[in-house]
């Protein structure tokens, strides 16, 4: 018997498989998808068996594999096919694709120390008990006899010296049993809610389509009861003896979601980046062994090897976290679509603010649109007020407007809570006039220019347009300054402004420790604080019933990011944050502070009007030839040598211009936004296309050329999130 073994060889992007012979005694155990240890050029390596070979080459002697490393198949048929899909759609190597699908304990060629974990248990060996001398020995025997639960050797309540004596006398014996590391959290069970009319309609549609590969987009406003629908349709899936896979943006940020599911269902595996390698390995094995029928996880959980999959749900479909930002640059939603077709099961994407791409697909019936237009509690949407910070600053209110101050005070006096959002991302790379709100924009691309300190220049990193930064604002002639202030500073100012106010600051600095995020959310819910202040993580799906005021301190920061999606990102963030106000009985107020009071996107946020935003933004995308009207591919060319990077980028752009359709647009090369990182120079090329049958073959060809060149590196990103 001969097999083809895939090796992950450093410095080689190629997918070479090597033929090996299987020793007679291992033939029975051998299947495709297991890892093997093999001799290779005097080394010992690990690899995946990807095929049998009926006609082994005769020109050279074939070596034998040393051993088979797995009892259970690691790469089942579906995952192996999926790896080929990733290879083809992301232009990655096969071993890279395989590697991204598996927990590190199960990768080939990576030496991990992750093993199965065991605990030592005790059982009674002989019944001649006259040797049991002391009371504590008797208690141990009694305990083992009386319950069906095995007794752990390291249990707290038993005397270790008595255990020793009993073991020595052969009355009891010890044995090892495999255990899972992740502790089960216990939650109070909860019964399903009676769906309202709107929910019922959505549920019925999904139920009718359970054995089809239909794709659904559930557009439901915040608090409209999407999660309840997810749980009820999953229950339906389980009734049919099938399993469910649910993706959420980042689990450590949505503990409530998991708790909701655990309150309904028993056999759930959880997969996310907060787990240790050992925990991930254990969760994976629970799945393979059919011990769970629901998997909830972040991006990479889309590869969970659930058998008999019945439905895939992706919550907060618009989240950036579903796209992997290094090779292979896959998008979990594309993988979900593939698996939906493979199993012939429905895919459900849910969001209060669907991406324009998904809405556009819905308008072409590639997705079926389902809608929830009302909050479950029938509560009205919060009242939203846009505050012009330019005029506030003239009154001396630099950070908190009169309106916001009044609202905060009123809320505190009513013992209600406040959320303040300060989105700091991107500050200082863009320049905004503190007086009039003027921002530098590219005349050709309608995105904010990026400030490069070294050259005192402002640049468009799409088209390369460049202009010098002036000392005074071109609009109002005031001195131009960076505008931006951090959460720490705001916390300090809040204490100055409001006597005895209790502020909980939440950002990447304060939530770094494991579980601290969860604890903070609980503390805020328990009213240990008046104000929750933080970056975008405070805007995510929490259900805080006592929050009546949401303040957006600076609505402009995301708006001014140098990206064509900045409008969409701003809308998502502010809309979601606004949705936190007045979730149950309290009527909410949202205060939106901005230097762009007439900005249309902010107007859409204040009216909580997604459709209005959608038509406006689609119009811009159409004019400027961005997605969803055009597809994008981004090429990143990097090198230690500026000359090489520059030369090869120009060559690459020429190669593309010579080979792609004439309707395809090629922008660049331009220097990247951050031009030099760790002494590596970076250039970008952007391809915009609608239909181009020459695209894939041309990019493959280009990729090959770059693999041969060891001075310059090329990365290709299909449908990039950031360009
Ligand atoms: P979404 O996911 O759309 O933001 P949720 O599913 O979290 O909304 O629902 C918001 C709140 O309404 C939750 O507290 C949930 O338990 C409750 N809820 C959802 N559906 C119903 C229903 N049919 N009857 C009563 N309460 C419901
Ligand atoms: Zn430009």
């Amino acid at each position: 018997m001969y097999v083809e073994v895939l090796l992950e060889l450093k410095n080689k992007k190629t997918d070479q498989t090597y033929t090996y012979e299987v020793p007679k005694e291992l033939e029975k155990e051998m299947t495709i998808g297991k890892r093997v240890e093999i001799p290779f050029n005097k080394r010992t390596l690990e690899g995946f068996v990807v095929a049998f070979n009926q006609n082994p080459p005769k020109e050279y002697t074939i070596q034998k594999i040393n051993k088979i490393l797995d009892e259970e198949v690691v790469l089942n048929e579906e995952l192996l096919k999926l790896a080929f899909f990733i290879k083809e759609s992301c232009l990655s190597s096969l071993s890279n694709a395989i590697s991204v699908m598996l927990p590190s304990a199960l990768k080939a060629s990576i030496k991990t120390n992750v093993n199965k974990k065991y605990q030592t248990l005790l059982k009674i060996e002989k019944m001649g008990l006259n040797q049991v001398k002391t009371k504590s020995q008797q208690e141990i025997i009694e305990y083992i006899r009386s319950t069906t639960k095995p007794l752990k050797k390291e249990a707290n309540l038993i005397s270790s010296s008595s255990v020793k004596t009993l073991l020595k006398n052969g009355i009891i014996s010890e044995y090892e049993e495999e255990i899972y590391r992740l502790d089960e959290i216990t939650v109070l069970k909860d019964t399903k809610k009676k769906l309202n009319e709107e929910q019922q309609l959505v549920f019925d549609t999904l139920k009718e389509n359970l054995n089809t590969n239909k794709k659904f987009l559930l557009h439901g406003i915040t608090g409209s009861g999407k999660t309840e629908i997810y749980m009820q349709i999953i229950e339906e899936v389980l009734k049919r003896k099938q399993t469910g896979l649910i993706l959420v943006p980042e689990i450590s940020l949505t503990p409530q979601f998991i708790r909701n599911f655990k309150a309904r269902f028993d056999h759930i595996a959880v997969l996310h980046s907060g787990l240790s390698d050992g925990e991930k390995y254990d969760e994976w094995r629970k799945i393979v062994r059919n011990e769970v029928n629901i998997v909830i996880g972040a991006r990479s959980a889309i590869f969970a090897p659930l058998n008999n999959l019945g439905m895939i749900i992706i919550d907060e479909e618009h989240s950036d976290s579903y796209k992997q930002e290094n090779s292979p640059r896959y998008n979990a939603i594309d993988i979900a679509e593939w698996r939906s077709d493979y199993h012939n099961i429905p895919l459900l994407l849910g969001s209060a603010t669907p991406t324009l791409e998904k809405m556009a697909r819905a308008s072409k019936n590639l997705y079926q649109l389902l809608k929830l237009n009302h909050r479950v509690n029938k509560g009205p949407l919060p009242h939203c007020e846009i505050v012009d910070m330019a005029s506030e600053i003239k009154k001396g209110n630099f950070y908190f407007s009169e309106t916001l101050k009044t609202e905060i005070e009123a809320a505190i006096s009513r013992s209600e809570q406040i959320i303040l959002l300060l989105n700091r991302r991107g500050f200082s790379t863009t320049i905004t006039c503190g007086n009039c709100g003027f921002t530098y924009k590219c005349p050709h691309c309608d995105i904010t220019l990026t400030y490069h300190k070294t050259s005192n220049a402002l640049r468009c990193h799409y088209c390369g347009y460049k202009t010098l930064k002036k000392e005074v604002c071109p609009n109002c002639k005031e001195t131009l300054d960076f505008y931006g202030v951090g959460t720490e500073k705001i916390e300090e100012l809040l204490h100055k402004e409001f006597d005895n106010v209790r502020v909980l600051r939440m950002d990447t600095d304060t939530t770094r420790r494991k579980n601290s995020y969860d604890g903070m959310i609980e503390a805020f819910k328990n009213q240990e604080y008046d104000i929750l202040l933080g970056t975008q993580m405070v805007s995510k799906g929490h259900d805080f019933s006592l929050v009546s005021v949401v303040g957006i301190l600076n609505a402009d920061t995301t708006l001014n990011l140098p990206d064509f999606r900045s409008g969409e990102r701003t809308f998502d963030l502010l809309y979601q944050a606004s949705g936190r106000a007045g979730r149950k009985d309290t009527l909410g107020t949202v205060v939106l502070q901005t230097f762009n009071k007439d900005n249309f996107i902010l107007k859409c946020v204040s009216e909580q009007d997604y459709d209005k935003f959608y038509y406006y933004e689609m119009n811009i995308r159409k004019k400027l030839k961005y997605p969803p009207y055009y597809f994008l591919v981004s090429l990143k060319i990097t090198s230690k040598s500026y000359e090489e990077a520059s030369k090869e980028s120009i060559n690459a752009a020429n190669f593309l211009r010579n080979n792609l359709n004439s309707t395809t647009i090629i922008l660049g090369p331009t220097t990247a936004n951050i031009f030099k990182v760790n002494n590596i120079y970076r250039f970008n090329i952007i391809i915009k296309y609608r239909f181009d049958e020459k695209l894939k073959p041309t990019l493959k060809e280009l990729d090959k050329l770059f693999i041969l060149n060891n001075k310059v590196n090329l990365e290709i990103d299909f449908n990039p999130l950031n360009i």
Side-chain angles (χ1 to χ4, degrees):
M1 181 192 274
Y2 296 88
V3 289
E4 289 298 307
V5 179
L6 179 74
L7 297 178
E8 193 178 342
L9 295 173
K10 291 254 151 56
N11 315 324
K12 273 202 186 157
K13 248 174 127 182
T14 47
D15 287 319
Q16 181 92 46
T17 61
Y18 297 85
T19 312
Y20 281 86
E21 190 183 341
V22 183
K24 270 268 164 315
E25 67 276 15
L26 293 181
E27 281 189 0
K28 248 199 189 144
E29 273 178 68
M30 178 55 80
T31 36
I32 290 172
K34 284 185 177 179
R35 289 172 302 172
V36 290
E37 188 188 286
I38 44 155
F40 187 85
N41 288 345
K42 297 191 182 122
R43 285 186 293 162
T44 304
L45 295 179
E46 290 178 14
F48 274 103
V49 173
V50 291
F52 288 105
N53 187 341
Q54 315 295 355
N55 303 301
K58 305 217 161 46
E59 310 86 70
Y60 54 88
T61 46
I62 294 174
Q63 292 187 284
K64 286 185 180 167
I65 66 168
N66 296 345
K67 59 178 171 198
I68 300 176
L69 295 165
D70 300 301
E71 288 165 29
E72 290 147 358
V73 173
V74 174
L75 273 181
N76 63 27
E77 196 185 329
E78 184 192 3
L79 289 186
L80 196 55
K81 282 190 176 143
L82 188 47
F84 279 99
F85 169 72
I86 293 170
K87 170 185 155 78
E88 185 60 26
S89 60
C90 303
L91 294 187
S92 79
S93 68
L94 189 62
S95 52
N96 208 346
I98 289 175
S99 174
V100 81
M101 299 193 300
L102 299 171
S104 44
L106 292 173
K107 292 180 197 209
S109 86
I110 288 169
K111 292 274 169 269
T112 53
N113 296 317
V114 182
N115 288 310
K116 292 175 189 170
K117 195 174 171 182
Y118 293 91
Q119 66 181 0
T120 310
L121 300 173
L122 302 171
K123 66 170 190 247
I124 295 175
E125 205 45 48
K126 50 178 197 213
M127 294 311 268
L129 295 180
N130 44 7
Q131 276 164 294
V132 177
K133 301 265 156 54
T134 67
K135 186 150 177 266
S136 98
Q137 291 178 8
Q138 243 156 26
E139 273 170 14
I140 293 169
I141 298 293
E142 273 312 303
Y143 184 90
I144 300 178
R145 269 215 202 133
S146 64
T147 88
T148 48
K149 249 184 158 172
L151 181 63
K152 288 186 211 164
K153 193 181 173 189
E154 284 90 18
N156 279 332
L157 296 168
I158 60 174
S159 134
S160 58
S161 64
S162 304
V163 170
K164 242 187 220 158
T165 316
L166 289 171
L167 280 171
K168 202 175 74 200
N169 296 340
I171 295 173
I172 61 172
S173 65
E174 55 184 26
Y175 64 102
E176 303 266 286
E177 189 188 73
E178 192 187 332
I179 53 166
Y180 297 130
R181 268 154 277 219
L182 201 61
D183 278 335
E184 276 298 318
I185 54 164
T186 37
V187 271
L188 282 177
K189 287 292 164 194
D190 157 33
T191 49
K192 67 175 171 188
K193 305 210 158 56
K194 183 169 168 14
L195 298 179
N196 64 31
E197 240 170 83
E198 242 185 0
Q199 285 174 314
Q200 190 66 45
L201 215 61
V202 172
F203 175 84
D204 291 344
T205 311
L206 292 171
K207 192 176 161 185
E208 276 161 29
N209 287 287
L210 275 182
N211 293 316
T212 71
N213 64 344
K214 272 185 96 159
K215 319 283 184 277
F216 295 94
L217 177 61
L218 173 57
H219 179 199
I221 64 170
T222 37
S224 58
K226 294 187 286 296
T227 314
E228 185 63 36
I229 294 178
Y230 300 159
M231 291 193 285
Q232 297 204 16
I233 196 69
I234 288 293
E235 188 184 329
E236 209 53 46
V237 167
L238 299 192
K239 267 190 208 158
R240 299 169 189 225
K241 301 272 177 277
Q242 290 179 312
T243 58
L245 174 55
I246 301 138
L247 251 53
V248 289
E250 179 46 65
I251 289 213
S252 54
L253 300 186
T254 43
Q256 187 58 45
F257 192 92
I258 307 274
R259 245 177 264 131
N260 287 343
F261 267 81
K262 291 210 162 166
R264 294 278 167 92
F265 305 102
D266 287 322
H267 305 288
I268 302 180
V270 175
L271 285 170
H272 61 91
S273 59
L275 302 183
S276 70
D277 285 346
E279 288 167 340
K280 279 184 201 156
Y281 179 42
D282 289 349
E283 295 299 288
W284 186 269
R285 276 177 305 132
K286 284 182 201 167
I287 300 167
V288 173
R289 294 171 175 179
N290 300 322
E291 290 169 9
V292 294
N293 46 25
I294 296 175
V295 173
I296 304 179
R299 178 178 62 235
S300 65
I302 195 60
F303 301 114
L306 280 161
N307 291 310
N308 209 6
L309 196 55
M311 181 158 191
I312 303 174
I313 298 174
I314 299 188
D315 190 32
E316 310 278 7
E317 159 292 302
H318 62 278
S319 165
D320 284 355
S321 72
Y322 293 125
K323 175 85 195 272
Q324 163 118 336
E325 284 298 0
N326 42 46
S327 177
R329 296 167 178 271
Y330 72 91
N331 190 320
I333 296 178
D334 299 333
I335 307 291
E337 288 180 1
W338 187 93
R339 293 193 80 178
S340 150
D341 292 338
Y342 184 88
H343 291 272
N344 196 36
I345 54 162
L347 167 64
L348 172 63
L349 308 183
S351 176
T353 53
T355 56
L356 298 192
E357 281 93 334
K358 293 300 171 313
M359 279 304 267
R361 301 191 83 178
S363 73
K364 288 185 181 163
N365 289 325
L366 295 168
Y367 273 78
Q368 180 175 342
L369 187 62
L370 305 169
K371 289 190 90 151
L372 293 174
N373 292 319
H374 304 281
R375 285 188 166 187
V376 169
N377 60 14
K378 298 266 187 285
L381 286 167
H383 164 74
C384 186
E385 197 158 326
I386 294 182
V387 176
D388 175 21
M389 281 312 276
S391 63
E392 289 290 322
I393 281 180
K394 286 188 189 119
K395 289 187 262 173
N397 299 325
F398 287 92
Y399 305 104
F400 312 118
S401 59
E402 285 303 330
T403 316
L404 184 57
K405 279 194 261 189
T406 314
E407 289 294 341
I408 291 178
E409 259 155 22
I412 293 177
S413 72
R414 293 189 305 256
S415 301
E416 291 165 359
Q417 293 177 302
I418 299 120
I419 292 179
L420 294 182
L421 175 75
L422 178 68
N423 193 30
R424 236 184 54 195
R425 201 176 139 204
F427 118 77
S428 94
T429 54
T430 63
I431 292 186
T432 307
C433 171
N435 186 48
C436 73
F438 166 85
T439 335
Y440 280 101
K441 288 207 162 163
C442 175
H444 311 298
C445 304
D446 196 40
I447 58 150
T448 311
L449 297 180
T450 303
Y451 181 57
H452 291 251
K453 209 170 173 183
T454 41
S455 54
N456 196 38
L458 292 140
R459 282 203 205 155
C460 171
H461 75 252
Y462 287 11
C463 73
Y465 171 83
K466 189 169 141 183
T467 181
L468 281 181
K469 173 184 170 279
K470 308 274 185 335
E471 286 308 306
V472 294
C473 171
N475 188 36
C476 74
K477 314 292 176 220
E478 284 286 315
T479 313
L480 255 191
D481 222 339
F482 301 105
Y483 180 84
V485 59
T487 42
E488 242 177 296
K489 173 91 181 169
I490 293 289
E491 183 181 12
E492 200 184 299
L493 292 168
L494 282 170
H495 286 294
K496 273 197 194 136
E497 193 74 42
F498 306 99
D499 289 337
N500 302 324
V501 70
R502 298 167 304 165
V503 182
L504 175 63
R505 176 163 66 91
M506 199 151 95
D507 51 32
T508 41
D509 296 330
T510 62
T511 53
R512 204 164 285 149
R513 272 178 304 120
K514 207 176 172 182
N515 297 329
S516 61
Y517 179 87
D518 214 356
M520 287 173 134
I521 295 290
E522 278 310 304
F524 187 63
K525 271 192 184 163
N526 296 336
Q527 280 189 282
E528 289 166 38
Y529 297 93
D530 305 305
I531 300 183
L532 174 62
L533 163 70
T535 49
Q536 53 255 52
M537 58 176 81
V538 303
S539 70
K540 300 286 152 61
H542 314 292
D543 207 351
F544 298 122
S545 50
L546 281 164
V547 171
S548 64
V549 175
V550 168
I552 317 282
L553 294 178
N554 181 355
D556 309 322
T557 41
T558 23
L559 210 50
N560 294 333
L561 281 179
D563 193 297
F564 75 91
R565 284 198 181 86
S566 63
E568 184 172 9
R569 296 221 165 95
T570 305
F571 183 83
D572 289 356
L573 176 70
L574 302 186
Y575 181 94
Q576 301 264 352
S578 306
R580 304 297 129 217
R583 294 269 288 182
K584 281 235 165 72
D585 331 304
T586 43
L587 178 64
T589 305
V590 179
V591 180
L592 238 163
Q593 305 191 151
T594 174
F595 288 105
N596 298 283
K597 67 177 167 55
D598 299 319
N599 180 284
F600 195 80
I601 301 248
L602 298 185
K603 190 170 147 68
C604 298
V605 173
S606 75
E607 291 168 12
Q608 297 272 298
D609 193 337
Y610 176 88
D611 291 344
K612 201 174 202 171
F613 153 77
Y614 175 74
Y615 291 115
Y616 170 77
E617 188 68 20
M618 283 294 272
N619 211 3
I620 295 181
R621 301 283 180 90
K622 188 173 183 180
K623 265 192 213 140
L624 295 172
K625 301 187 171 157
Y626 284 127
Y629 292 95
Y630 275 70
F631 293 106
L632 294 183
V633 183
S634 134
L635 278 64
K636 293 184 174 49
I637 295 116
T638 53
S639 172
K640 276 186 184 155
S641 149
Y642 174 85
E643 285 73 28
E644 288 294 327
S646 168
K647 187 181 84 191
E648 291 306 328
S649 318
I650 293 167
N651 286 346
N654 288 339
F655 182 82
L656 295 172
R657 289 193 172 99
N658 291 335
N659 286 287
L660 296 179
N661 279 348
S662 58
T663 52
T664 296
I665 300 162
I666 296 144
L667 296 176
T670 64
T671 52
N673 192 15
I674 308 171
F675 174 45
K676 189 170 142 185
V677 178
N678 287 331
N679 290 316
I680 303 225
Y681 292 91
R682 315 197 304 175
F683 286 79
N684 287 342
I685 297 171
I686 290 162
I687 304 172
K688 291 177 171 182
Y689 70 99
R690 284 176 68 87
F691 309 99
D692 194 337
E693 72 293 344
K694 294 179 194 153
L695 184 79
K696 264 282 161 61
T698 304
L699 287 174
K700 274 186 187 167
E701 195 62 38
L702 188 67
D703 198 35
K704 267 192 209 143
L705 292 173
F706 271 85
I707 289 171
L708 297 175
N709 182 341
N710 52 19
K711 285 193 197 131
V712 186
N713 185 46
L714 169 69
E715 269 187 60
I716 301 173
D717 190 357
F718 292 90
N719 307 314
L721 285 189
N722 302 295
I723 61 174

